[in-house]
Amino acid sequence: MALDIIKDIVEAESKADDMIKNAEAQAASLKAEAEKKSAAILADAKQKSKEALNSASEVAIDESKEAVSKIAEKAELDCRKVKEAASLKKEEAIQAVIGKVVGINGNS
C-alpha cells in the first residue's frame, strides 16, 4: 500500500514536471510569436508612416510651388513698377542736375 502511494506521488510529480515543461514551451512559443507579430506590426507602422510622410511632403512641395510662383510673379510686377517709376523720374532728375550744374537760367 505505501509502495502504491509512493508510486502515485512519483507519477504525479512526473506529470507535474511534464506539465511545467509543456507550459514553459508554450510560453516560449507564445512569446516568440508575439515578438514576431509585434515586429511585423512595427515594420508595417514604420512603412505606413514613411508613406504618409512622403505623401505629406509631396503635397507641401506642390502647395509651396504655387505660392512661390505667385510671390515671384508679384515681385517681378513690383520690380517692373519700380523700374517704370524710376524711368519716369529719370528725365526729371537729369534736368534737376543740369539745372544745378549749369544754373537756373542756363548760365554757369
Side-chain angles (χ1 to χ4, degrees):
M1 179 97 114
L3 186 58
D4 288 337
I5 294 174
I6 293 173
K7 195 176 188 183
D8 288 342
I9 292 172
V10 170
E11 283 180 21
E13 286 177 346
S14 176
K15 285 182 182 180
D17 287 341
D18 288 343
M19 290 172 79
I20 290 171
K21 286 178 186 177
N22 287 338
E24 288 173 346
Q26 284 180 342
S29 175
L30 289 173
K31 181 181 176 185
E33 186 178 330
E35 288 173 347
K36 186 177 178 181
K37 284 182 181 180
S38 68
I41 290 169
L42 283 174
D44 186 50
K46 284 181 183 178
Q47 181 63 29
K48 285 181 181 178
S49 65
K50 185 177 180 181
E51 289 171 2
L53 178 61
N54 288 341
S55 177
S57 296
E58 289 174 9
V59 169
I61 288 170
D62 288 343
E63 289 175 358
S64 68
K65 283 181 182 177
E66 185 177 325
V68 167
S69 177
K70 287 180 182 180
I71 291 169
E73 287 175 12
K74 184 172 180 346
E76 187 175 327
L77 180 63
D78 290 345
C79 288
R80 221 177 292 131
K81 286 179 181 178
V82 169
K83 187 176 180 180
E84 289 172 4
S87 291
L88 294 174
K89 298 284 183 172
K90 182 179 177 182
E91 186 61 36
E92 193 177 308
I94 291 171
Q95 293 303 320
V97 169
I98 291 174
K100 291 287 185 180
V101 171
V102 176
I104 295 176
N105 298 327
N107 302 328
S108 32

